[in-house]
């Protein structure tokens, strides 16, 4: 399968713990996006990378959240000191980034539950 | 007010019906408009996109954008039970063509 992959698919953690999610984009896609989706809502933009550079961050991305894409390939999203309000589906998407529209292909998501 | 508004439904129709899904938006800088379909507990998948105003047809699906009224529509002809999903409209443009702004999503059920 050459689509976007995300791991883990599900994560249950206790409040205050740190969690890290991984996203592997489609090969040769230069852009990588993170979105958060809560129940009954559409995805909300968090941040995106052009290769290894983080170009934009939403104000939703508090200082407890950090994202990296160290070699311009896979990316990680870390949440420190998790809160119950962080419970959501975390979606990763990738795109070529060299044309308009910048068609984004989404992964299956990581569902986070904070107890 | 959200930049993209979408009636969450739910919408329930019989098989074979024509379905109309709609969104409105407030940001005049948006130029690209997409429709994504999302099955339960899956990531969104792109159905189609349109640029600026106009219509685009792909099989049973037709997307329309009216920039003068800031209105986005998706029509599904001859709806099938397999079309049952959440439909998300999204827009991009302005200072960030990469960032997608999504509506809330409309839950559609097509019953046999």
């Amino acid at each position: 399968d050459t689509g976007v992959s995300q791991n883990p698919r599900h994560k249950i953690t206790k409040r205050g713990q740190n969690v890290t999610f991984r996203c592997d984009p489609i090969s040769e896609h230069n852009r990588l996006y993170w979105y958060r989706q809560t129940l009954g809502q559409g995805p909300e933009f968090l941040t995106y990378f052009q290769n290894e550079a983080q170009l934009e961050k939403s104000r939703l991305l508090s200082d407890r959240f950090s994202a990296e894409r160290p070699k311009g390939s896979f990316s990680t999203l870390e949440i420190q000191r998790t809160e119950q309000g962080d419970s959501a589906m975390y979606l990763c998407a990738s795109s070529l980034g060299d044309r308009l529209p910048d068609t984004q292909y989404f992964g299956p998501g990581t569902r986070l539950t904070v107890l | 007010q959200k930049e993209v508004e979408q009636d969450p439904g739910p919408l329930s129709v019989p098989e074979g019906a024509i379905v109309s899904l709609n969104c409105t938006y407030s940001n005049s800088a948006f130029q690209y408009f997409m429709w994504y379909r999302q099955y339960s507990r899956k990531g969104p998948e792109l159905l189609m996109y349109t640029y600026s105003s106009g219509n685009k047809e792909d099989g049973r699906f037709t997307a329309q954008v009216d920039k003068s009224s800031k209105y986005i529509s998706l029509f599904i002809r001859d709806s099938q039970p397999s079309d049952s999903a959440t439909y998300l409209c999204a827009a991009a443009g302005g200072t960030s063509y990469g960032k997608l702004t999504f509506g809330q999503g409309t839950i559609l059920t097509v019953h046999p």
Side-chain angles (χ1 to χ4, degrees):
Chain A
D1 189 322
T2 57
V4 178
S5 62
Q6 292 187 245
N7 287 288
R9 294 292 309 277
H10 304 274
K11 179 70 177 178
I12 300 174
T13 191
K14 293 182 179 180
R15 185 164 54 92
Q17 297 295 304
N18 299 343
V19 294
T20 300
F21 311 139
R22 175 177 171 129
C23 171
D24 287 89
I26 294 171
S27 179
E28 297 179 356
H29 276 195
N30 296 316
R31 286 196 177 182
L32 188 148
Y33 299 81
W34 285 100
Y35 292 83
R36 180 173 68 185
Q37 186 176 25
T38 53
L39 196 62
Q41 300 296 317
E44 292 179 295
F45 170 80
L46 292 177
T47 188
Y48 89 91
F49 294 83
Q50 174 81 30
N51 299 313
E52 65 273 14
Q54 189 173 17
L55 295 189
E56 188 172 348
K57 292 168 55 174
S58 163
R59 64 182 183 278
L60 293 175
L61 214 64
S62 76
D63 56 4
R64 296 185 298 106
F65 288 71
S66 63
E68 294 182 343
R69 195 182 183 197
K71 296 182 179 179
S73 56
F74 72 91
S75 175
T76 58
L77 178 68
E78 180 183 16
I79 308 174
Q80 296 182 327
R81 305 181 303 281
T82 52
E83 302 173 355
Q84 288 186 325
D86 298 330
S87 295
M89 174 81 89
Y90 289 84
L91 293 163
C92 175
S94 70
S95 70
L96 286 168
D98 62 354
R99 64 198 67 180
L100 294 176
D102 186 30
T103 304
Q104 297 178 31
Y105 298 88
F106 282 81
T110 294
R111 183 170 295 279
L112 173 66
T113 302
V114 182
L115 302 176
Chain B
Q1 181 188 4
K2 293 187 176 183
E3 288 187 295
V4 179
E5 298 273 5
Q6 185 174 5
D7 185 342
L11 188 61
S12 181
V13 301
E15 183 176 356
I18 296 174
V19 176
S20 173
L21 303 168
N22 307 293
C23 293
T24 58
Y25 66 95
S26 58
N27 188 340
S28 299
F30 288 149
Q31 290 189 296
Y32 291 93
F33 304 92
M34 292 84 168
W35 284 95
Y36 281 82
R37 178 174 61 195
Q38 186 174 27
Y39 293 112
S40 181
R41 301 188 177 276
K42 303 286 187 183
E45 59 174 323
L46 180 67
L47 281 175
M48 54 198 310
Y49 74 88
T50 54
Y51 170 68
S52 193
S53 283
N55 295 359
K56 189 171 184 177
E57 186 174 322
D58 184 0
R60 296 185 295 110
F61 298 87
T62 299
Q64 288 184 352
V65 176
D66 182 346
K67 291 199 78 178
S68 62
S69 60
K70 296 187 175 65
Y71 203 77
I72 313 164
S73 301
L74 178 71
F75 299 95
I76 307 174
R77 291 184 298 280
D78 187 25
S79 56
Q80 303 295 309
S82 58
D83 294 329
S84 298
T86 296
Y87 288 80
L88 297 155
C89 61
T95 57
S96 179
Y97 279 92
K99 166 187 167 184
L100 292 178
T101 302
F102 284 88
Q104 186 177 357
T106 300
I107 301 170
L108 171 67
T109 301
V110 181
H111 51 86

